[in-house]
Amino acid sequence: MFRTFKMMAAGLATAVMMAGSASALTSVSAGGGPLPGGGYDITSDTLFSGTVSTMGGPGAYMINFQSPIDPLFGVANASITINLLSTFTGLTVSWVDALNPANVLASTSVLGGVQTTLSTLFSSVSPNTLSQNLVFSWANSTGATDASGKPVPVTFDFDVAPVPLPAGGLLLLTALGGLALTRRRRAAA
């Protein structure tokens, strides 16, 4: 029992040390970031979250993310879950080069009720870039109305999180080592 407690304490201590200086959730908005041009430093936080709102019709929404580290050894994921079936038509999410908007780095369609994840790499090596725009665009959206018939905005939420690859690999190796150690102890007993 005491050995199990020691292993759990060691695991918890390792997880806390590996977490580093995790900061709080950052709420983002188009053009509202602290960097020049309203962008956000992708390395400054562990999670960015935002809401896109429309009153109906076609539209687009764009947020700029930048990396001061070249290359950023990680992947940024944009995830969206839409629970408004048939509210948006032709909804896509794209990572676009901020300096050359014709350079679409990654793009995918978003399906209603399904979580969609799109990855990108922040690097100065072509075709990637250190300044990228996360762009949501839709061909049409059906506006909603409240009980009195007054138009209200239709919204969907998104989040962006940098996923450091070296830390993820270390975490995986630690977990596999722990499993091997546990198996070895059980076999010896």
Side-chain angles (χ1 to χ4, degrees), residues 125-143:
V125 178
S126 185
N128 297 310
T129 179
L130 293 172
S131 180
Q132 299 181 23
N133 293 328
L134 179 61
V135 179
F136 300 96
S137 59
W138 53 94
N140 196 19
S141 62
T142 307

Side-chain angles (χ1 to χ4, degrees), residues 19-127:
S21 60
S23 56
L25 170 74
T26 299
S27 182
V28 297
S29 62
L35 298 178
Y40 293 90
D41 179 353
I42 193 72
T43 64
S44 70
D45 207 340
T46 55
L47 182 64
F48 299 87
S49 180
T51 300
V52 177
S53 179
T54 179
M55 294 299 281
Y61 188 84
M62 178 179 67
I63 304 222
N64 178 261
F65 289 96
Q66 301 172 24
S67 173
I69 300 171
D70 182 16
L72 172 63
F73 295 108
V75 178
N77 297 308
S79 301
I80 313 149
T81 302
I82 298 180
N83 295 322
L84 305 168
L85 297 177
S86 55
T87 301
F88 288 90
T89 55
L91 178 61
T92 60
V93 59
S94 307
W95 282 106
V96 178
D97 183 344
L99 302 175
N100 179 11
N103 183 14
V104 177
L105 304 169
S107 184
T108 189
S109 296
V110 179
L111 305 173
V114 178
Q115 185 172 10
T116 302
T117 301
L118 184 64
S119 300
T120 188
L121 179 66
F122 286 83
S123 169
S124 62
V125 178
S126 185

